[in-house]
């Protein structure tokens, strides 16, 4: 423990420490005691070094305590146990106040935070109620006498409380010290939608408006766009970057709001439902669903469940001067291959694209097909399936999202394929769908896939492909 605190441990010594702790409860208890002691000293030292003399700023009075997540390279450690997480945490925690790196170790905290165990998560001390909603998003109460009881709100999807007693959804992420976030906002909606970003700073002013993105305005229209959608823009409509060079975590809230596609007398703004389609230390993808396209006469609005009317992709990276260890080859950071999907033989068909060195791509899809359908992400050179999803029985359903990173020094050739069955029979085989580009921007495309059942609408399966960072990327399509 002394060596770990003073100079850091080599991989060999770290492995030895793990072996000593693995099957020895008494050693694990002693280890936790020492970790607690060192972290307490580290936080106290940080507080003394970073706080200026004189009166403490008002916005620090409710700041959350510094809680550090596991290392980026934690996959080389044992699966989390009561002592394994502190072992991962202490490598960055035992640095006196400045959150610098120990020799041979990884950087300090990063990522969304919501995928960590509860004991490792930083949280907000309170979450104010919403007073009203506008195109800029929700407005929060600011007076002390309106404050809600103190609660601990962890990063991730949360429930927001409206003053009239209703609830809505939002997403909180934590920007840890030494980390920056790049957010890309995309839109594909019939109705008016907007995405707001606020920061919770504590004190009597609970939220600071950072930015709002919306889809109002004229612009190029995708092939699949609803003709009734007037004055709408599509695709990537916003980029936002924020860094945290300070010693304390910062908390941000994302909310989506919409108006009904068909104008009403009150023209009321509504908070949209959200779905977290991808959540990882490196990347997060959230989709919001409005109330759906304008219904036919006499019917009410029904959400279509695509969670694609508004979406936010978040990429977390170390700030300048800090570096995370390189990983060889590709790294898929979403879920595993769907076991229900038997990949067809003609995987050479589909949409092919190149991922440049250092680049990251997010793929998200949904299906409107009546028959079974799915999506597959393939290594175009080896035909290895990297990710796949099958939609449930519902007629319309999102297919989730995947993020893939290129940590190599060469282009990675990838292929996106939509598949379908011509019937619901158990012995029906999966077939590859025809593909068409419905909308195109630099580094962003909306792709439509047709199941060849006669309608040629290229809307049976739809996918969004976003490529960020790295050098210029190449996109090309190959249709059946």
């Amino acid at each position: 423990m002394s060596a770990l605190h003073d100079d850091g441990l080599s991989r060999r010594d770290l492995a030895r420490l793990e072996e000593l702790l693995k099957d020895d409860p008494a050693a694990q208890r002693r280890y936790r005691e020492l970790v607690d002691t060192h972290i307490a000293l580290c936080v106290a030292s940080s507080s003394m070094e970073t706080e200026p003399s004189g009166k403490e700023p008002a916005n620090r009075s409710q700041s959350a305590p510094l809680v550090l997540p596991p290392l980026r390279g934690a996959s080389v450690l044992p699966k989390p146990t009561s002592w394994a997480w502190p072992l991962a945490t202490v490598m960055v925690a035992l640095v006196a106040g400045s959150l610098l790196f120990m020799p041979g170790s990884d950087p300090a905290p990063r990522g969304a935070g919501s995928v960590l165990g509860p004991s490792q998560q930083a949280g907000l001390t309170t979450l104010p109620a919403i007073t009203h909603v506008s195109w800029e998003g929700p407005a929060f109460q600011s007076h002390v006498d309106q404050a809600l009881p103190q609660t601990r709100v962890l990063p991730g999807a949360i429930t927001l409380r409206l003053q009239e007693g209703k609830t809505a959804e939002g997403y909180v992420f934590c920007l840890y010290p030494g980390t920056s976030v790049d957010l890309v906002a995309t839109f594909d909606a019939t109705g008016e939608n907007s995405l707001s970003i606020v920061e919770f700073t504590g004190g009597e002013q609970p939220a600071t408006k950072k930015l709002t993105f919306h889809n109002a305005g004229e612009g190029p229209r995708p092939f699949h766009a609803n003709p009734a959608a007037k004055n709408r823009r599509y695709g990537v409509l916003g980029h936002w970057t924020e860094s945290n060079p300070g010693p304390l975590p910062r908390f941000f809230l994302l909310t989506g709001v919409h108006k009904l596609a068909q104008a009403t007398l009150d023209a009321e703004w509504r908070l949209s439902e959200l779905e977290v389609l991808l959540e990882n230390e490196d990347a997060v993808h959230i989709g919001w669903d409005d109330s759906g396209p304008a219904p036919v006469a006499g019917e009410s609005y029904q959400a279509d469940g695509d969670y694609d009317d508004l979406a936010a992709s978040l990429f977390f990276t170390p700030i300048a001067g800090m570096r995370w260890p390189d990983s060889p080859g590709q790294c898929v950071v979403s879920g595993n291959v769907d076991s229900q999907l038997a990949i067809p033989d003609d995987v050479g068909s589909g949409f092919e694209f190149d991922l440049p060195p250092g680049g990251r791509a997010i793929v998200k899809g949904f299906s409107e097909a009546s028959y079974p359908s799915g999506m597959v992400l393939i290594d175009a050179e080896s035909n290895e399936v990297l990710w796949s999803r099958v939609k449930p029985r519902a007629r319309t359903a999102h297919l989730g999202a995947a993020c893939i990173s290129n940590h190599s020094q060469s282009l990675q050739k990838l292929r996106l394929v939509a598949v379908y069955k011509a019937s619901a029979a158990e012995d029906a085989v999966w077939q590859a769908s025809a593909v068409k580009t419905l909308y195109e921007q630099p580094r962003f495309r909306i792709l439509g896939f047709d199941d060849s059942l006669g309608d040629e609408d290229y809307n049976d399966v739809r996918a969004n492909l976003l490529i960020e960072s790295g050098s210029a990327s190449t996109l090309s399509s190959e249709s059946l």
Side-chain angles (χ1 to χ4, degrees):
M1 284 298 299
S2 295
L4 180 63
H5 174 262
D6 293 336
D7 300 310
L9 293 180
S10 65
R11 288 186 176 274
R12 180 177 179 180
D13 290 338
L14 183 59
R16 174 61 177 155
L17 177 59
E18 293 172 6
E19 288 297 320
L20 290 173
L21 295 173
K22 186 178 297 182
D23 299 313
D24 190 338
Q28 294 171 18
R29 286 194 298 272
R30 179 60 177 155
Y31 174 81
R32 287 196 299 270
E33 293 171 359
L34 292 170
V35 168
D36 290 343
T37 299
H38 280 298
I39 290 180
L41 291 172
C42 174
V43 173
S45 174
S46 175
S47 177
M48 288 185 292
E49 291 180 11
T50 58
E51 284 297 330
S53 58
K55 185 178 179 180
E56 182 181 54
N59 66 349
R60 291 291 299 278
S61 60
Q62 295 187 14
S63 295
L66 177 61
V67 183
L68 305 181
L71 300 177
R72 175 182 173 88
S75 58
V76 302
L77 301 175
K79 290 185 178 180
T81 66
S82 59
W83 61 269
W85 282 123
L87 176 59
T89 304
V90 77
M91 294 296 290
V92 291
L94 302 184
V95 183
S98 62
L99 295 177
L100 298 176
F101 299 173
M102 292 185 294
S105 71
D106 292 321
R110 28 79 59 98
S114 56
V115 295
L116 306 177
S119 62
Q120 279 69 49
Q121 290 177 332
L124 290 167
T125 57
T126 187
L127 195 65
I130 296 171
T131 58
H132 63 277
V133 180
S134 69
W135 78 274
E136 292 185 336
F140 297 92
Q141 60 190 23
S142 58
H143 300 294
V144 175
D145 59 357
Q146 295 177 326
L148 296 171
Q150 293 278 322
T151 57
R152 185 163 184 257
V153 181
L154 296 178
I158 62 168
T159 299
L160 300 169
R161 298 169 62 179
L162 286 70
Q163 282 192 331
E164 59 266 31
K166 299 178 182 179
T167 60
E169 297 178 306
Y171 187 88
V172 170
F173 70 89
C174 179
L175 189 59
Y176 288 101
T179 304
S180 69
V181 62
D182 296 298
L183 181 149
V184 182
T186 56
F187 293 77
D188 188 4
T190 299
E192 191 171 354
N193 282 252
S194 76
L195 168 68
S196 69
I197 308 167
V198 299
E199 181 174 9
F200 286 94
T201 55
E204 295 185 7
Q205 299 297 324
T208 301
K209 183 75 69 176
K210 304 295 290 188
L211 211 59
T212 298
F213 300 114
H214 65 91
N215 67 342
E218 296 292 340
R221 298 171 61 83
F223 177 81
H224 67 283
N226 189 321
K230 305 296 184 181
N231 196 36
R232 297 287 176 267
R233 297 181 299 147
Y234 296 83
V236 176
L237 300 182
H239 290 261
W240 172 72
T241 299
E242 189 84 12
S243 296
N244 184 9
L248 295 173
R250 298 168 62 188
F251 297 91
F252 298 86
L253 173 68
L254 305 179
T255 50
V257 300
H258 70 276
K259 283 185 178 181
L260 298 179
Q262 191 174 40
T264 58
L265 293 177
D266 58 5
E268 180 184 0
W269 283 99
R270 295 165 166 82
L271 282 155
S272 306
E273 294 184 358
L274 68 84
E275 185 79 15
V276 181
L277 303 178
L278 172 67
E279 193 171 50
N280 187 274
E281 290 182 337
D282 296 291
V284 173
H285 184 83
I286 309 132
W288 281 268
D289 199 36
D290 61 19
S291 297
V296 298
E299 295 186 5
S300 61
Y301 274 89
Q302 297 292 329
D304 51 16
D306 59 359
Y307 294 98
D308 194 31
D309 302 302
L310 161 64
S313 301
L314 291 81
F315 301 94
F316 296 94
T317 55
I319 62 176
M322 300 182 180
R323 186 180 66 85
W324 293 330
D326 294 328
S327 301
Q330 298 173 357
C331 177
V332 176
V333 299
S334 64
N336 297 323
V337 173
D338 196 319
S339 60
Q340 303 178 57
L341 185 56
I343 308 304
D345 294 332
D346 55 344
V347 291
S349 305
F351 183 83
E352 190 169 295
F353 63 98
D354 293 336
L355 188 62
R360 289 183 287 189
I362 282 188
V363 174
K364 185 262 292 289
F366 86 100
S367 171
E368 284 189 347
S370 301
Y371 293 106
S373 57
M375 186 174 293
V376 189
L377 181 63
I378 298 171
D379 185 312
E381 295 182 333
S382 66
N383 278 344
E384 175 189 1
V385 174
L386 304 175
W387 172 81
S388 64
R389 287 292 298 271
V390 174
K391 82 160 192 171
R393 294 183 178 180
R395 175 175 173 81
T396 302
H398 69 80
L399 295 173
C403 177
I404 185 166
S405 304
N406 182 0
H407 295 288
S408 71
Q409 299 302 313
S410 58
L411 286 174
Q412 298 284 351
K413 295 184 178 297
L414 304 169
R415 183 178 295 113
L416 188 61
V417 181
V419 294
Y420 71 98
K421 288 183 176 181
S423 73
E426 293 186 4
D427 58 349
V429 297
W430 290 103
Q431 303 177 55
S433 302
V435 60
K436 175 185 288 187
T437 296
L438 306 180
Y439 185 77
E440 181 177 357
Q441 286 177 298
R443 301 191 181 186
F444 178 78
R445 288 205 181 191
I446 300 177
L447 304 171
F449 295 87
D450 188 69
D451 57 18
S452 299
L453 297 182
D455 53 11
E456 295 187 357
D457 59 356
Y458 288 93
N459 206 26
D460 299 308
V461 172
R462 196 159 72 239
N464 288 1
L465 173 60
L466 172 68
I467 297 180
E468 282 293 305
S469 73
S471 57
S473 56
T474 300
L475 295 173
S476 62
S477 63
E478 179 183 320
S479 301
L480 288 175

